[in-house]
Amino acid sequence: MRLFYAVFLPEEVRAALAEAQTKVRPFRGWKPVPSHQLHLTLLFLGERPEEELPDYLALGHRLARLEAPFRARLRGTGYFPNEGTPRVWFAKAEAEGFLRLAEGLRAGVEELLGEEAVRIPGWDKPFKPHITLARRKAPAPRVPPVLFGLEWPVEGFALVRSELKPKGPVYTVLEKFSLRGEHGREQAQGPGERPEGD
């Protein structure tokens, strides 16, 4: 099964990005991502054997217990690659929390797979938090930058199965992981202290 970890977006952010996507809709060479599929990929796992699924679920739960919710920002759009013919039009996301989650997932998968992890497609590329808005499928012009100034709370992430179909990928959320930040809470309380109700 083809898997990835991702953060999905609240409705108001998806609505703002859908409005931005109207910039490329006049050009048939650009294929916009459907609004309900807009997401930020934390780590792509590629095709993995089904028997590994419990390990990826356990990794998500373990990391979510450690990391606290955070606020994310969207400032503007860009292209991959930045020079020459673009393949992807994206919205750039900002938050230290995205980096911590991506690094935590990467470290966990390296622990699970060992040297096999380097065979995952894109494993050697640096993490750049972004939301893909459209993919270029045929000749089409670049559109002018769009500025957002959006912020939203990130309270969790998900493990997603992606099935490639003729009309485009179909995403199925296999599990959601709520960020709890227990590691930071334990440090603030000091050893031996427990919150009420635990």
Side-chain angles (χ1 to χ4, degrees), residues 170-187:
V170 175
Y171 298 155
T172 303
V173 172
L174 300 178
E175 189 96 350
K176 294 180 179 177
F177 312 104
S178 297
L179 300 178
R180 296 165 61 181
E182 290 181 354
H183 179 64
R185 189 170 56 178
E186 289 169 1
Q187 286 186 330

Side-chain angles (χ1 to χ4, degrees), residues 63-139:
L63 187 60
R65 281 197 299 273
L66 297 176
E67 293 295 333
F70 58 89
R71 291 193 70 77
R73 297 170 295 280
L74 286 180
R75 298 295 188 221
T77 57
Y79 292 95
F80 291 137
N82 190 39
E83 303 292 334
T85 302
R87 294 189 306 275
V88 170
W89 187 49
F90 66 88
K92 183 180 179 183
E94 299 175 353
E96 285 297 318
F98 289 138
L99 302 176
R100 288 197 303 273
L101 287 175
E103 289 171 0
L105 291 169
R106 186 181 173 94
V109 170
E110 283 180 335
E111 188 176 328
L112 288 170
L113 300 181
E115 294 181 357
E116 187 184 340
V118 300
R119 298 193 184 97
I120 293 176
W123 189 259
D124 57 338
K125 295 181 180 177
F127 174 67
K128 295 181 179 178
H130 70 279
I131 297 155
T132 296
L133 298 175
R135 293 182 174 84
R136 188 174 175 275
K137 301 295 185 181

Side-chain angles (χ1 to χ4, degrees), residues 185-186 189-198:
R185 189 170 56 178
E186 289 169 1
Q189 290 169 343
E193 299 179 37
R194 294 176 60 84
E196 292 182 13
D198 277 7

